[in-house]
Amino acid sequence: MIETAEAPSSSLVEGAEPPPPRTSPRTAARRGGPRPRRTPGLVLSYGWVALSAVVVLVPLAYLASLSLMTQGQISAGLLLPAEPAWQNWGNAWNSAIPRGIANSLAAAFIGALLTLALALPGAWTIARHRTGGSALSGLILSPWLLPPVVAIIPLLTLLRLLGLINTLPGLTLVYALMNVPVAIWLLDGFIRRIPVEIEEAARLDGAGELQLLFRVVVPVLGPALIAVGVIVAILNYNEFLFATFLTQSEGSQTVPVVLAGMLSERVQDFGRIAASSLLAVIPIFTIAVLLQRHLVEGLTTGAVK
Amino acid sequence: MSTDQLQRSPAAPSPPPHSPRPPAGSGPRRRRSDRFLHRVFVTPSVLTLLVLALYPLLFIAAAAFSRSSLGQPFQEFSGLENLRTAAGDPAVQDSMVLGTGYALGVAAASTVLGTITAVALWRSVRSGAVLRTLLLLPMIVPPVIVGILWSFIFSPSGGLIDTALRQFSSYSGTFAVLSDTSWAIIGVAVADTWEWTPLVVLLVFTALLGQDPEILEAAQIDGAQPVQQFFHITLPTIAGTVAAAFLIRLILAFKVFDLVYVMTSGGPGSSTQVPAYLIWRAALQNFDVGMAASITLVLAVVVTLVTLPIFYLTKRLRDD
C-alpha cells in the first residue's frame, strides 16, 4: 500500500474498493473483493446492524428528549415532552457550562498540538532508526497500562513546584505529556506505511535528517497528523480525573468537571443537566463528524498492516 | 553529502543494476551527527516516560514504604507495614476480585458484541461510512456524560427503563438498578460496554476490509459455503485483531473511574468499589497516600497477572 500526500491515506479505511456498482453478485465479488453472497445470513446481518444503530441512538435521543422536559414531566414517566421546555437550554447556557466548554476546548487543542510536537520526532526516529532500541519502543506505552489515578499525586506535587496548580496552562501541560505515548503508538503505524524509498531518495539528494523530517515526513504524514491530533484532542476534551484535581478554581474548570458538580447538587434538575450535557457534546460531535474519515483512519491504523 | 551528489550527477557512471544501493548516509562524520540528531528527536519522548512512568513509580514505591499524607509525603520509613495492611485488607481484596471480574466481563462482552457487529456491518454494507460514524458516537461522548446518561436511563423515578416497564408491561414495582447491591455493577458495566464496544467494531471492521480478496474469491469458486468461508478464511485473518481488541478493552476496563464516580460513587455499600475508585478514595478522601500507593502496587501485580497471558496470546495470533 503506497500512501502519499497525493493519494489521501483515508482511502485505505474507506475500503480498498471503488464505490461498487450494483451488478450481479459475481462481478461485484470480482471488483469489490470478498462480497459475501446473498444468503439468509444477510438478512440477519442487516437486522443486527439496525439493532446496533437503535442501541446507540435511543440513549442519545432520550437525553435530547429529557433536555426538553420539566422535572414534573420526567417524574410523570413521559418519554417525549408534551410541550418542549426550552428553558432548560436557557438555564444551561446561563451557567458555568459555556465557560467550561471554552476551557475544555483550549486545553484539548493546545494540549494536542503540544503532544504532536513532542511525539512526532520521537515516533519517526524510533520507527525508522530504532533509536533507544527495543527497550524504548517497548516501554513507550507502559504509562498507559495502569489507572491514571496512580500518576495524580506525583504530578500534583510536580505542578505545585512549578506554580501551575489550579490553572488551565497546568492542566494543558499535563494533557500534552499524558498523550505522548498514545500519539507515538498511533503515529508508528502511519510512519511504517510511508515507503522508505521516499526518504532514501531525499537522503541521496542531500537532505539532512532535520530537512527529511520537516520537508518529507511531515507533508506525507499530513492526514495522519490530523487524525492523531483529533483523537488526542477528543481524549483531552473528555478527560475528567486530572481535570477535577488540577483545576479546583471555578475559572479553570473544564466541562466534565462542571457537569459532575451539577450531579452532586442536592436537588438534581434532570432537564437542565441533560441540556448541559448535550451542549457539552455539540463541539466534539461536530468535530468528529467533520473529520470522521481522519478519525477512523487514526483509530484503526494500529490494526491495519 | 558530497559523495551522494557525485553519484547522482549524470557524469558519474551509473552503478551496475545488481550492485547494492550505496549506504544512505555515507561517511563517519555524517553518521555521527545523524545519531546525535536522532537522540535529540527522541529526548521529548524519553522525558515524557521519565515524568509519566519512572517518577510516579519511584514516588509510589517511596510512599508505599513510608507514612505519607497528601500534604506531607514520606514522613517516616514504615517498611512493609502499608503493603501488609493493604494486601490483608478484605476491602482491598474484594475490590481486586470485583475489578478483575468486571474487567474480564466487560472486555468479553464488548469483544463478542463488537465482533458480531463488525461482521454484520461488513456483510451488509461494505464501506458504510455513515453507519460507521453513527456507531462511533458513544466513544466520543465524554465518560462523565455517558455516566449521567445511563444514570437517567436507570433512574427509578421516570427513567427510560422504569417508564418503558410501566407502559409496556403490567410491572408496577420500582426497579432501581444503581441502588441495588448486585445490580449496580451491572448497570455500570452496561454503560461501559455501550461506550467502548464501538472501538472493537471499528478495529475488527478494518481488519475485515484488509482481508485478501483473492483468497476469499478462490474459496468461493471452489464452492466453499459461507459458513466454511467464515471459519476457515475470515476468522483466522481477524483473530489477531480480535485478541488485540480484547486486550485493549481489558486494560480500559481495569481503569474505569469516571463512570463509577458519576453513577454510583462506589456504592451501594462497596458493591461498585473498583480498584481505581478505591485508590482515589484512599488518597484523596482519606489523604492516606501511603495506603493508596500500596493498593496501587497490589493492583499492578493483579493487572500484570491477568493481562500477561492475553498479551502473549495476542502476540502469537498476530505474528502468524
Side-chain angles (χ1 to χ4, degrees):
Chain A
M1 253 319 144
I2 293 175
E3 306 283 333
T4 58
E6 288 82 42
S9 43
S10 47
S11 64
L12 191 80
V13 173
E14 279 311 304
E17 86 278 27
R22 302 272 164 208
T23 44
S24 78
R26 282 218 75 133
T27 35
R30 212 175 304 132
R31 287 221 202 142
R35 196 184 212 306
R37 286 185 221 166
R38 300 196 168 267
T39 54
L42 200 62
V43 179
L44 221 69
S45 300
Y46 275 113
W48 184 272
V49 171
L51 186 71
S52 316
V54 168
V55 169
V56 165
L57 285 183
V58 163
L60 292 171
Y62 177 63
L63 194 65
S65 178
L66 278 184
S67 80
L68 294 174
M69 284 198 254
T70 61
Q71 198 64 32
Q73 289 174 327
I74 295 170
S75 314
L78 293 182
L79 287 181
L80 285 169
E83 50 199 87
W86 291 106
Q87 68 266 28
N88 286 332
W89 284 82
N91 290 341
W93 184 254
N94 290 320
S95 64
I97 291 287
R99 181 172 197 155
I101 293 175
N103 284 344
S104 284
L105 285 173
F109 280 93
I110 299 171
L113 281 178
L114 285 172
T115 299
L116 285 182
L118 293 172
L120 176 69
W124 179 68
T125 316
I126 292 168
R128 280 291 193 250
H129 300 289
R130 312 206 153 276
T131 307
S134 58
L136 186 58
S137 61
L139 281 174
I140 271 300
L141 260 187
S142 61
W144 185 69
L145 292 178
L146 273 181
V149 190
V150 172
I152 277 206
I153 299 155
L155 288 179
L156 205 73
T157 333
L158 203 65
L159 281 183
R160 202 180 282 157
L161 272 176
L162 295 171
L164 286 174
I165 200 120
N166 272 339
T167 63
L168 212 51
L171 186 69
T172 309
L173 191 69
V174 170
Y175 284 169
L177 285 182
M178 205 166 71
N179 289 310
V180 168
V182 175
I184 291 181
W185 184 55
L186 288 173
L187 283 172
D188 181 81
F190 287 109
I191 291 168
R192 282 176 200 283
R193 292 217 305 258
I194 306 175
V196 193
E197 287 76 13
I198 297 181
E199 289 172 37
E200 277 176 2
R203 218 175 250 131
L204 288 178
D205 284 341
E209 296 295 292
L210 258 177
Q211 283 177 308
L212 206 61
L213 183 61
F214 287 104
R215 295 249 182 96
V216 180
V217 177
V218 169
V220 174
L221 268 185
L225 288 173
I226 297 177
V228 177
V230 169
I231 290 166
V232 168
I234 291 178
L235 288 177
N236 290 343
Y237 189 88
N238 294 351
E239 206 280 332
F240 170 66
L241 185 61
F242 283 88
T244 184
F245 282 102
L246 303 180
T247 60
Q248 305 269 347
S249 65
E250 236 168 63
S252 61
Q253 282 180 349
T254 62
V255 73
V257 181
V258 180
L259 280 170
M262 284 187 171
L263 268 193
S264 55
E265 284 164 10
R266 217 166 339 126
V267 185
Q268 284 184 16
D269 185 347
F270 277 22
R272 183 172 66 109
I273 299 176
S276 305
S277 302
L278 285 172
L279 210 55
V281 155
I282 287 171
I284 213 71
F285 270 23
T286 312
I287 292 165
V289 169
L290 289 181
L291 297 174
Q292 65 93 6
R293 287 170 153 239
H294 295 299
L295 186 67
V296 168
E297 166 87 350
L299 280 167
T300 45
T301 184
V304 183
K305 275 199 200 161
Chain B
M1 196 191 273
S2 58
T3 43
D4 290 353
Q5 277 164 352
L6 210 78
Q7 277 157 357
R8 296 273 301 179
S9 73
S14 58
H18 292 297
S19 81
R21 204 188 280 269
S26 32
R29 258 194 69 186
R30 168 167 180 160
R31 219 171 266 170
R32 208 180 302 150
S33 72
D34 280 357
R35 221 171 282 161
F36 173 74
L37 255 182
H38 294 158
R39 295 224 176 93
V40 174
F41 286 169
V42 179
T43 311
S45 316
V46 175
L47 277 179
T48 310
L49 266 185
L50 293 182
V51 175
L52 238 50
L54 190 65
Y55 164 62
L57 209 66
L58 292 177
F59 192 102
I60 285 164
F65 291 107
S66 64
R67 233 161 43 78
S68 293
S69 71
L70 197 54
Q72 282 183 303
F74 323 127
Q75 289 163 25
E76 61 183 291
F77 183 75
S78 64
L80 287 174
E81 194 193 306
N82 278 331
L83 262 175
R84 217 175 283 140
T85 320
D89 186 346
V92 175
Q93 292 167 359
D94 287 352
S95 175
M96 294 300 154
V97 172
L98 180 75
T100 307
Y102 176 85
L104 287 171
V106 164
S110 294
T111 310
V112 171
L113 290 173
T115 306
I116 295 175
T117 310
V119 171
L121 192 65
W122 172 70
R123 289 183 56 105
S124 46
V125 254
R126 279 303 308 285
S127 170
V130 174
L131 261 175
R132 222 178 30 204
T133 313
L134 187 98
L135 293 183
L136 217 68
L137 288 182
M139 231 165 105
I140 52 178
V141 178
V144 166
I145 297 181
V146 174
I148 291 174
L149 171 56
W150 284 90
S151 308
F152 287 167
I153 291 176
F154 290 136
S155 161
S157 55
L160 184 59
I161 290 178
D162 181 64
T163 307
L165 275 179
R166 277 168 206 284
Q167 289 198 345
F168 303 113
S169 75
S170 54
Y171 181 80
S172 62
T174 44
F175 185 49
V177 178
L178 295 178
S179 37
D180 183 296
T181 42
S182 42
W183 279 94
I185 193 71
I186 294 174
V188 176
V190 167
D192 199 339
T193 309
W194 183 81
E195 187 184 3
W196 287 112
T197 301
L199 182 65
V200 181
V201 176
L202 198 61
L203 293 173
V204 177
F205 186 72
T206 317
L208 285 167
L209 287 183
Q211 279 185 103
D212 188 348
E214 282 170 19
I215 298 181
L216 210 63
E217 202 181 327
Q220 275 176 4
I221 289 167
D222 286 346
Q225 295 304 304
V227 177
Q228 286 176 312
Q229 283 172 34
F230 182 78
F231 281 102
H232 292 288
I233 299 161
T234 304
L235 204 58
T237 49
I238 62 169
T241 307
V242 173
F246 181 78
L247 185 66
I248 292 173
R249 199 57 198 86
L250 189 69
I251 293 168
L252 278 175
F254 259 120
K255 294 199 285 195
V256 67
F257 173 82
D258 320 38
L259 289 178
V260 171
Y261 182 92
V262 171
M263 293 176 78
T264 63
S265 309
S270 60
S271 61
T272 55
Q273 192 143 267
V274 291
Y277 194 81
L278 187 72
I279 295 169
W280 174 80
R281 272 192 57 181
L284 297 147
Q285 279 197 324
N286 305 335
F287 304 117
D288 191 344
V289 171
M291 181 53 87
S294 303
I295 304 173
T296 306
L297 290 182
V298 175
L299 176 63
V301 173
V302 171
V303 172
T304 310
L305 286 179
V306 175
T307 48
L308 216 55
I310 297 155
F311 179 76
Y312 281 112
L313 179 74
T314 308
K315 226 176 146 200
R316 266 190 54 193
L317 282 171
R318 299 197 91 184
D319 287 347
D320 277 351

